[in-house]
Amino acid sequence: MRKCFVLSGFLFVFCLGILAQEAGRNNLPAIELKDIDGKSMNTSNFSNQGKPFIISFFATWCKPCLRELSTIHEVYEDWIDETGVKLIAVSIDDTRSSANVKTLVNGKGWEYEVFLDPNGAFKRAMNVNNIPHTFIIDGSGKIAWQHTSFSQGSENEMLEVVKKLMNND
């Protein structure tokens, strides 16, 4: 009987460990990236002072990605005023084309934080298969929402998710 109790206790602790891992799975992975100016940042440190933020994976050659980021750019200042949200854009361009990212960002006038993921480590860790792939991260650093592709109007859905998260805090 005692062996059964010990085994039950072990299984209980084992199951708790699995549940804890699953609960933490929504946190951002720890991947070292560089911004377009060469400054290093660990993705686990991405934050917005306890407010939601958006991570958008894109590439310079991806037309829907550029449409999404340009559409958001048009309303981004209003979003910041209304919610305090920030957007972090992550380029998945490889080492050959990542040199074009800074020129593109400056040419478009995007005021986002932009990071380079030339070897795809962050992309893989976030399970990004198609771009654009956009995540909304809540104030505690957990993935609250995500979507792939872009169609006109989906930026409004993103803003509504951010507003809901702001109201839950």
Side-chain angles (χ1 to χ4, degrees), residues 123-164:
K123 177 184 102 167
R124 284 188 303 281
M126 294 292 286
N127 201 25
V128 171
N129 296 311
N130 298 312
I131 54 172
H133 193 135
T134 306
F135 296 87
I136 298 180
I137 312 301
D138 70 14
S140 65
K142 297 208 181 314
I143 298 168
W145 182 88
Q146 62 180 299
H147 82 107
T148 58
S149 76
F150 175 73
S151 59
Q152 204 65 35
S154 62
E155 72 279 5
N156 298 325
E157 183 180 358
M158 281 186 249
L159 180 59
E160 289 307 311
V161 171
V162 169
K163 286 179 182 178
K164 284 179 186 170

